[in-house]
Amino acid sequence: MRELNKTESAILVIGAVMMVIGSGANLFAQSWAPYVFAMGTIGFVLMQLKQKYDGDNVAIKRLRRMVIISDVCLLLAAVMMFANMDNLFRLDAITYIKYVHNNWVVVLMVAAMLQLYTSHRISKELLKD
C-alpha cells in the first residue's frame, strides 16, 4: 500500500474529526453541521483514494474495492444530510419522511462498518505479505 506523507495523513485525520463533529452537531440540529461533515468527508475520501495497492494479493484488492464502496457511502451520507435540511428536494411529506428524513444515519453506519472491517483486514493481509 502506498503510504501517505505527513500532510496527507493530517488531512485524513482532520477530515475524520470533521466528520465526527459534523454528524454529532447534526444530531443537535445545527445548521452548519452538513457543511462541516461534507468538507471532512471530501478530505477523508480523497486521502483514502490516494492510498493505492499495486501488489498481487487478491484479498487486498477486494478490500480496496470495499473501501471505495464505503467512500461512496460517506459521500452519499453527506448529500443526504444536505437533503435532510429543510426538505431540499421539495418532496411531498410522505416521500420525504419515507426516503430522506434522517436516513443519512443508516448510510453513515454502513460506511462506518465497512471502514472498520476493511481497516483491520487490510492490516492483517499486509502483515502476511
Side-chain angles (χ1 to χ4, degrees):
M1 296 272 307
R2 179 188 174 276
E3 293 290 324
L4 297 176
N5 61 34
K6 289 183 180 185
T7 305
E8 292 169 341
S9 294
I11 292 171
L12 183 81
V13 170
I14 291 169
V17 169
M18 288 175 70
M19 286 191 305
V20 170
I21 291 170
S23 60
N26 199 12
L27 294 175
F28 295 109
Q30 299 296 318
S31 61
W32 50 266
Y35 300 101
V36 172
F37 183 83
M39 288 187 300
T41 300
I42 289 169
F44 185 81
V45 167
L46 288 177
M47 292 306 110
Q48 274 199 329
L49 292 177
K50 287 190 86 155
Q51 293 178 321
K52 295 187 187 232
Y53 178 71
D54 296 326
D56 295 330
N57 190 334
V58 177
I60 295 177
K61 289 181 179 182
R62 177 184 55 86
L63 290 166
R64 282 294 301 155
R65 285 191 296 267
M66 290 175 70
V67 168
I68 292 170
I69 291 169
S70 173
D71 290 340
V72 169
C73 286
L74 287 171
L75 292 170
L76 182 61
V79 170
M80 290 179 77
M81 200 180 279
F82 279 109
N84 200 38
M85 294 174 32
D86 300 324
N87 193 0
L88 183 68
F89 296 131
R90 304 291 182 238
L91 302 170
D92 64 281
I94 299 297
T95 306
Y96 173 75
I97 290 172
K98 194 174 190 180
Y99 296 112
V100 177
H101 184 69
N102 287 337
N103 284 341
W104 63 270
V105 177
V106 176
V107 178
L108 182 61
M109 196 60 139
V110 169
M113 293 293 210
L114 284 172
Q115 287 285 331
L116 184 65
Y117 174 73
T118 56
S119 66
H120 289 290
R121 289 281 298 137
I122 287 175
S123 64
K124 298 265 193 228
E125 288 293 326
L126 286 174
L127 288 176
K128 287 182 186 177
D129 273 351

